[in-house]
Amino acid sequence: MTPSSLQMIVPLIADLSDSDLYRFQYFLSVVPTVYVTDDCGRKIIETNQYAVTEQSHPSAGHMGQEVPGIFFKYDVEPLQLTIFHSHMSTYRFLIRLVAIVGGVAICTEWAYKGFEHLTNKIDRAKGNGRGIAGNGLLNGHLGKEG
């Protein structure tokens, strides 16, 4: 089975050069990682994540500038990455959903009351004296003078 049939990228496979002097450099960055899962009991998996980049170019080894060959440069990160993987229960999801809807409703009410207060202030500045909310059937001002 060849790596191409696995349908994954294999970073250490490179094209061969026509030149005799060629330099391949692979830079590997390793990050220590701990996965903590909470599926029916606590499970801890200690592993590493890595990233690979590569450079390749003809070497000018005959002039003494670069040595041809294959070089690996490792960089192990000094910090550990911890990933917590857990599923949210339906109960917790519903509580968060109700909190979000309630927060949106309260913010909408505050915006409406603020707009109403601003409109009343503008009407008073124009000289009505009562504002928009003061002219209505429920306030007892409709049809009465003064």
Side-chain angles (χ1 to χ4, degrees):
M1 186 178 336
T2 62
S4 62
S5 66
L6 295 175
Q7 294 185 1
M8 63 183 214
I9 298 172
V10 181
L12 300 180
I13 295 178
D15 297 327
L16 296 177
S17 169
D18 295 334
S19 171
D20 291 336
L21 302 175
Y22 215 76
R23 182 180 182 96
F24 297 96
Q25 290 182 315
Y26 297 98
F27 301 94
L28 291 96
S29 178
V30 180
V31 180
T33 305
V34 175
Y35 288 101
V36 180
T37 61
D38 213 6
D39 299 333
C40 299
R42 200 165 190 83
K43 184 177 179 183
I44 297 174
I45 301 170
E46 293 185 16
T47 184
N48 294 307
Q49 292 184 15
Y50 70 94
V52 177
T53 56
E54 60 101 8
Q55 291 180 352
S56 58
H57 56 276
S59 176
H62 60 281
M63 294 182 211
Q65 295 174 351
E66 288 184 335
V67 178
I70 300 175
F71 299 94
F72 296 93
K73 295 184 180 182
Y74 294 94
D75 181 25
V76 179
E77 298 295 329
L79 299 176
Q80 182 179 26
L81 181 66
T82 303
I83 299 173
F84 292 99
H85 184 264
S86 63
H87 297 285
M88 186 183 307
S89 67
T90 306
Y91 175 72
R92 182 174 284 180
F93 172 73
L94 290 175
I95 293 295
R96 286 186 178 184
L97 185 65
V98 167
I100 289 170
V101 170
V104 168
I106 293 295
C107 289
T108 304
E109 183 181 352
W110 286 350
Y112 175 75
K113 286 187 178 190
F115 180 72
E116 184 180 22
H117 180 70
L118 183 65
T119 307
N120 285 341
K121 204 175 237 192
I122 291 172
D123 280 351
R124 284 190 190 120
K126 286 182 181 177
N128 284 351
R130 288 186 272 183
I132 293 175
N135 297 331
L137 181 63
L138 297 177
N139 293 332
H141 295 293
L142 191 63
K144 291 185 179 178
E145 296 288 328

